[in-house]
Amino acid sequence: MLNPAPRGRFAPSPTGPLHFGSLVAAVGSYLDARARGGEWLVRIEDVDTPRVVPGAADDILRTLEACGMAWDGSVVHQSTRGDAYHAALQELRRQAMLYPCACSRREIADSAVAGIEGYVYPGTCRSGLAHSREARAWRVRTEGAVIAFDDAIQGRVEHDLEKDVGDFVLYRADAVYTYQLAVVVDDAEQGITHVTRGSDLLDSTPRQIHLQNLLGVRTPVYAHLPVAVNAQGQKLSKQTLAKPVYREHIVSSLMLALRFLGQQPPGELEGEGVDAIWEWATQNWRLDRVPRVRAQVFVPAGTEGRK
Ligand code: GLU
């Protein structure tokens, strides 16, 4: 089979404006795709409606434009993709890999051990709901799913899903399709060949590969970039009060993002503007220079040494 044309994507959740941490993921995915001569898509991950901040998606897109990052095709919003997610659930159900679960968070917390991300679901509802219990969420089975992959930056990752995560939720009690399901369905349907994103999602990847295997779709090449953390080791996010990328500081933000990713842009580029930065960065992008760490401290300019 012919290899498909390279295609990357940036998939922000619209929970706030673009900040340095998400800019790094945007820049890394953009350059990785463009340096391969590939397309780069933008997808708004607004599937988790309770977390969506009105206006944030537009704000992110305007900032990407101001950064000179032009995407291919039209922007897909996950909130419009319910039918596709539903169809994927039907397929898993047909394979008897999906089952309803009646457990509350509390019940799970009382009977489960901690895994790589929260509690490992102990499989209570796997062989059917106890009499008079009502389905709250839908889970996918993970027995025997030992999933390994080679990340282009972080190296080999292997999870025994049943032990490390447990059967995980694809459709929540509050009628929301989960990120793990939506991202797999969308990456497959959009023909994404290269997923370059923050390493906070490294531990989600084996779950996504498990779903790809079940749904019979291709597994993309994964590259997980270091995430930016503050001096306390917290990921930059709205919760840690990361500052937005201000449109009047685009050039310096792009230069900082390139350096954060281990690239070595010459200082003169700063005076030459956005187009010159992209021209240099696309021609000189080196994935092997990206630091092979999960997290890196980012100290915003002007705050070094401040107490
Ligand atoms: N929407 C996720 C986020 O903003 C990224 C998902 C992905 O790149 O797979 O953290």
Side-chain angles (χ1 to χ4, degrees), residues 9 11-13 43 45 179 183 195 197 200-201 208 235:
R9 52 51 160 199
S13 305
R43 179 169 76 227
E45 299 214 318
Y179 159 68
V183 76
V195 170
R197 60 184 176 190
D200 49 323
L201 296 164
Q208 295 173 14
K235 187 186 148 192

Side-chain angles (χ1 to χ4, degrees), residues 228-236 240 296-299 306-307:
V229 294
N230 63 20
Q232 288 74 47
Q234 300 161 314
K235 187 186 148 192
L236 301 192
T240 57
Q296 224 174 206
V297 175
F298 171 70
V299 182
R306 256 194 227 164
K307 286 267 148 63

